[in-house]
Amino acid sequence: MRFWNSQSIAGKLTRMNLMVSATALLFAYVAFFAYDLYTLRSDLLSSLGTEASIVGANSVSAIVFDDQQAAESTLSALKETPQVEWAIVVGQDGNPFASYARDASAKPVLQQSLAPGESRHFWRIGTKFLIGSRIFLQGKPVGAVYLLAETTALKESALQFGWLSAGILLLCYVIALLVTAATRNLVTAPLSGLAETAQIVSRDKDYSVRAAVPRTSDELALLVRSFNEMLEQIQLRDHEVAEARAVLEQRVQERTAELSAANKELEAFSYTVAHDLRGPLQHISNIAFLLQGMSAASNPEERELVDKLFEGSQRMSVLIEDLLNLSRATSTPLRRIAVDLGHTAEEIAGTLKAEDPGRRVQFKIAKPTRAFADEGLLRIVLQNLLGNAWKYTSKKDPAVIEFSSKDGAEGTVFFVRDNGAGFDTRYADRLFRPFQRLHSQSEFPGTGIGLATASRIVERHGGRIWAESTVDQGSTFFFTLPYGGNN
Amino acid sequence: MVSAISNADPCFARRGLIYAWARWMVAAWLCLLTGSACAQAAKPSEYDVKAAYLLNFGKFMRFAGSGQAAGGAFNICILGRDPLGRSMDQIAANETVDGRAVHVQRLGDATQGRSCQVVYISPFEAPRLREDLAILEGSNALTVGDTPDFLERGGMIQFVLQADHVRFSVNLNAVDRTHIVLSSELLRVAVSVEGKPNRGGAR
């Protein structure tokens, strides 16, 4: 069955034809042979019957007038019929009256006899036939004749016919095979062409090939034509898709170019603005500082106004610094090196403590905390995260601020944890957008730019930043950096 | 030899029917007791055979031209003192020849033989044989006889006893003077045939 299944259609067709022809011819042979046997047998019986009738008719007078010699001379004519072994003429009384034997030494013995009223009967004795035929004279039975015939001739001619017809049928079989081989291509050539084409298409994804269409107008031609049409449509669609993609690609490139140009312009603009604002602001700040000194003794109202001026200029300075940081975070090229962020964090913590020595804050900084990143930019990130932690724990005593890292699937995960005010996690996604703040300026002052800057820096490193928090329990800010050397 | 018939056979004698039948029964019993020694025991007598022949002659003859009108009875006549006895009647009973019922007639005088198809002239008629034949001449009757000079005197078929078998000789010259045509089958089994079959005239 496996062999059968693995064959090509051409092989299957051949095999099918072989089997069909063989079956048909075999049945034909059997039928012919059986028919021939039957015909030979009935021919033999009918010729024997005729022989018996003639012998009987010629023996009537001999029987009636008791002339044994005449009867035997009639019977002796049977020597012209070689298959008759012996013959016996029986008189009216049922006793043998005259006999003939081909082999003179043989003594014919008659064991069968016709039943009364029966005019003819055949017996089969081994391989021989015995025929009994009643002899009539003017409608009255006067005796009977019995012939024993051997069937060797029958067997021989059956055998001869068997061989002959076997030979003829074999010849027919061979001719059928040749015809099959000659006509097989009519069916298989288009099919194998189709299969080959399909194989090329599926292997090379080449939809430009076409199967040869047979010149006939049958189902095969229809199949091949449909297949070709399908290929053409696929090709057409492919072409359309490629065109559309090219147009899209071009459009995307154009848009990207436009966008990045606009972005650069914007950045350049904001950087310039921030940078150029710093000079005049410094003047204002300086003057405000001088005014504070000069108006130390003047009235409290003046003093308050000067303080507010100085405070405002300071805040604006911070804001400008933050904006410049944000701008730098976007535009400065990355210079990654192996760096101990624990060391950086400690430096920042030192600065924070120095700025407000009155607070009791416990820093837990893991050292070393290694990363592969731009040191300057990561310093900005940590300044923002630790600064936030410092700021939002201002109402806790003692405040605890932790910085550490752990290994994660995307890279090293760094985190800054505090036990400060926390925030509502529903707004967690707003944290990292510029100028978005969850707390009021009076509660916790800030520019709303710091986390946006940190997020941008982490993203530029190929990492991710997020935060978890519980209100009044504290918050944890996570960011990931890819493992060193990968990028 | 089959169907041998012999007067010397102890089983046979020419007697009346009942007597013959009784003897046949005895013979049959003897045969049963002694095996196949008397295989021919049931064989008919010479006159039984002759009676059967008279009937069968009728079946091997026909009448050419207007010799005899078709239909009517087929008469087998016995002229003179009858030696055949009842066996003739028995054999002819319910028999037909060419579809005609067979009747047996016993004639005292040859002149009565005009309506006969077969006339058996008894051996007892030997003294008057010539006259009888002359009378029957032209009557289209097949004349059959026993006497040795039957054919020479103008008879047509003469019974001959040959090797215990009843056979017959034919005088075609006599037959040809009538419209009777004898079948070649019949002539084939005749002991001798005088004259040549007349293929033309009578047919």
Side-chain angles (χ1 to χ4, degrees):
Chain A
M1 217 46 207
R2 220 163 94 212
F3 175 64
W4 172 265
N5 284 339
S6 70
Q7 276 213 323
S8 64
I9 283 188
K12 273 182 192 163
L13 274 179
T14 308
R15 203 164 251 252
M16 199 174 78
N17 270 321
L18 284 178
M19 278 170 59
V20 167
S21 318
T23 313
L25 288 176
L26 195 71
F27 275 102
Y29 179 75
V30 170
F32 277 136
F33 195 67
Y35 177 72
D36 184 61
L37 274 183
Y38 175 77
T39 314
L40 281 172
R41 185 180 179 275
S42 54
D43 279 356
L44 179 72
L45 291 184
S46 115
S47 75
L48 279 177
T50 309
E51 203 93 41
S53 295
I54 292 170
V55 168
N58 287 335
S59 307
V60 174
S61 59
I63 295 171
V64 167
F65 295 109
D66 190 23
D67 191 341
Q68 193 198 3
Q69 253 181 345
E72 282 184 343
S73 101
T74 301
L75 285 182
S76 69
L78 285 172
K79 65 174 176 283
E80 302 299 330
T81 314
Q83 66 257 37
V84 173
E85 212 162 83
W86 54 253
I88 292 178
V89 169
V90 170
Q92 202 157 9
D93 53 5
N95 288 325
F97 171 68
S99 68
Y100 155 82
R102 193 181 56 198
D103 182 2
S105 61
K107 180 91 177 146
V109 180
L110 183 62
Q111 279 162 335
Q112 283 76 11
S113 68
L114 291 166
E118 200 177 20
S119 62
R120 178 165 291 183
H121 198 278
F122 291 102
W123 292 273
R124 210 194 152 90
I125 302 166
T127 59
K128 296 167 183 178
F129 282 122
L130 177 70
I131 179 174
S133 182
R134 189 78 70 188
I135 302 170
F136 293 93
L137 173 60
Q138 295 205 348
K140 293 242 169 196
V142 295
V145 58
Y146 294 88
L147 300 181
L148 183 77
E150 53 184 16
T151 52
T152 349
L154 180 73
K155 206 187 287 172
E156 261 168 32
S157 53
L159 215 62
Q160 198 181 355
F161 177 84
W163 283 115
L164 189 71
S165 49
I168 289 172
L169 291 181
L170 203 67
L171 190 69
C172 291
Y173 191 52
V174 170
I175 290 170
L177 285 194
L178 292 179
V179 171
T180 298
T183 54
R184 195 182 59 192
N185 280 348
L186 286 180
V187 176
T188 56
L191 269 184
S192 47
L194 194 63
E196 235 166 74
T197 313
Q199 208 169 11
I200 292 174
V201 167
S202 73
R203 188 185 55 212
D204 305 341
K205 307 282 177 264
D206 179 2
Y207 296 99
S208 65
V209 290
R210 293 288 179 274
V213 181
R215 263 170 292 179
T216 53
S217 55
D218 55 4
E219 293 93 329
L220 277 177
L222 188 69
L223 186 66
V224 172
R225 229 174 278 130
S226 309
F227 183 73
N228 282 348
E229 234 163 74
M230 209 166 67
L231 282 180
E232 201 158 314
Q233 282 189 359
I234 289 174
Q235 213 183 355
L236 204 68
R237 206 160 297 169
D238 269 4
H239 189 66
E240 280 169 8
V241 168
E243 261 182 6
R245 192 185 295 157
V247 168
L248 272 181
E249 196 110 329
Q250 203 190 348
R251 211 166 287 168
V252 167
Q253 272 174 6
E254 282 169 11
R255 289 281 184 283
T256 312
E258 278 169 26
L259 270 178
S260 64
N263 240 7
K264 279 215 175 95
E265 260 173 51
L266 195 63
E267 272 166 22
F269 171 76
S270 59
Y271 183 83
T272 312
V273 167
H275 191 267
D276 290 1
L277 281 178
R278 241 187 349 188
L281 185 63
Q282 198 61 50
H283 283 294
I284 295 169
S285 184
N286 287 345
I287 291 167
F289 184 70
L290 288 175
L291 278 177
Q292 266 183 329
M294 280 161 60
S295 63
S298 59
N299 70 38
E301 265 178 42
E302 276 176 21
R303 171 73 193 220
E304 201 184 330
L305 285 173
V306 170
D307 279 352
K308 275 190 179 159
L309 177 69
F310 183 68
E311 211 176 292
S313 67
Q314 284 299 305
R315 262 192 20 228
M316 189 161 174
S317 165
V318 171
L319 184 61
I320 286 171
E321 198 59 41
D322 282 354
L323 278 173
L324 284 174
N325 274 343
L326 178 63
S327 179
R328 258 187 236 116
T330 313
S331 53
T332 10
L334 282 182
R335 279 199 312 274
R336 295 183 203 221
I337 51 164
V339 62
D340 179 9
L341 291 183
H343 183 72
T344 313
E346 249 178 5
E347 281 177 13
I348 295 166
T351 316
L352 287 170
K353 278 180 192 164
E355 276 174 12
D356 196 351
R359 279 189 60 187
R360 278 209 301 162
V361 177
Q362 190 191 347
F363 277 96
K364 290 181 182 171
I365 292 169
K367 276 183 69 182
T369 305
R370 301 202 181 281
F372 185 74
D374 187 309
E375 193 185 6
L377 291 177
L378 259 295
R379 182 176 286 274
I380 295 173
V381 171
L382 288 178
Q383 270 171 353
N384 276 310
L385 295 181
L386 290 171
N388 275 349
W390 179 270
K391 187 159 66 187
Y392 290 108
T393 50
S394 58
K395 289 168 184 170
K396 289 277 175 179
D397 191 21
V400 181
I401 297 172
E402 192 185 347
F403 171 68
S404 187
S405 70
K406 58 188 179 186
D407 285 341
E410 309 162 51
T412 317
V413 181
F414 303 90
F415 58 91
V416 175
R417 180 172 293 146
D418 65 57
N419 61 344
F423 57 88
D424 190 338
T425 45
R426 276 181 295 174
Y427 308 113
D429 57 328
R430 278 163 57 178
L431 281 172
F432 302 99
R433 287 187 224 151
F435 309 114
Q436 294 278 345
R437 302 202 63 229
L438 300 184
H439 299 272
S440 66
Q441 188 66 28
S442 55
E443 201 179 359
F444 295 105
T447 58
I449 295 173
L451 282 177
T453 310
S455 165
R456 203 163 290 182
I457 291 170
V458 170
E459 272 162 23
R460 283 195 65 197
H461 278 82
R464 201 160 62 84
I465 190 164
W466 72 98
E468 289 168 6
S469 179
T470 316
V471 176
D472 285 333
Q473 298 287 314
S475 37
T476 310
F477 282 80
F478 299 91
F479 65 94
T480 63
L481 291 176
Y483 290 117
N486 284 359
N487 285 330
Chain B
M1 293 297 277
V2 284
S3 68
I5 301 167
S6 169
N7 281 337
D9 192 315
C11 297
F12 286 94
R14 184 157 47 81
R15 293 291 194 278
L17 178 76
I18 295 170
Y19 184 48
W21 181 80
R23 270 193 307 105
W24 185 87
M25 285 303 289
V26 172
W29 275 110
L30 276 173
C31 289
L32 277 178
L33 292 173
T34 59
S36 60
C38 327
Q40 307 96 323
K43 289 297 169 189
S45 71
E46 179 191 329
Y47 280 93
D48 289 339
V49 173
K50 284 181 178 173
Y53 277 24
L54 286 178
L55 174 65
N56 285 332
F57 288 146
K59 293 184 178 180
F60 285 92
M61 63 186 270
R62 58 195 179 82
F63 298 96
S66 57
Q68 286 260 336
F74 188 89
N75 293 317
I76 297 176
C77 306
I78 299 161
L79 180 60
R81 196 176 139 200
D82 181 8
L84 305 177
R86 304 212 47 168
S87 60
M88 188 67 238
D89 296 301
Q90 280 184 326
I91 283 166
N94 298 322
E95 275 286 350
T96 56
V97 170
D98 292 327
R100 302 156 72 180
V102 175
H103 286 178
V104 179
Q105 293 182 3
R106 290 182 175 77
L107 309 178
D109 192 334
T111 52
Q112 296 169 305
R114 290 258 158 202
S115 62
C116 296
Q117 278 72 39
V118 176
V119 178
Y120 174 63
I121 300 171
S122 150
F124 302 103
E125 284 289 308
R128 285 191 303 276
L129 183 59
R130 194 180 292 272
E131 290 79 4
D132 287 340
L133 286 174
I135 292 167
L136 291 170
E137 179 109 37
S139 69
N140 274 336
L142 183 76
T143 52
V144 184
D146 279 312
T147 52
D149 58 349
F150 187 71
L151 297 186
E152 288 152 33
R153 295 192 183 250
M156 296 176 196
I157 293 180
Q158 177 197 327
F159 286 126
V160 180
L161 213 58
Q162 200 175 60
D164 299 340
H165 283 258
V166 177
R167 312 299 305 277
F168 59 92
S169 297
V170 178
N171 180 1
L172 273 183
N173 295 328
V175 173
D176 286 347
R177 285 197 289 272
T178 67
H179 289 282
I180 295 169
V181 178
L182 290 181
S183 152
S184 64
E185 288 286 294
L186 183 71
L187 300 183
R188 193 165 73 91
V189 294
V191 174
S192 67
V193 179
E194 275 173 43
K196 289 188 175 166
N198 184 355
R199 300 281 176 202
R203 296 193 182 195

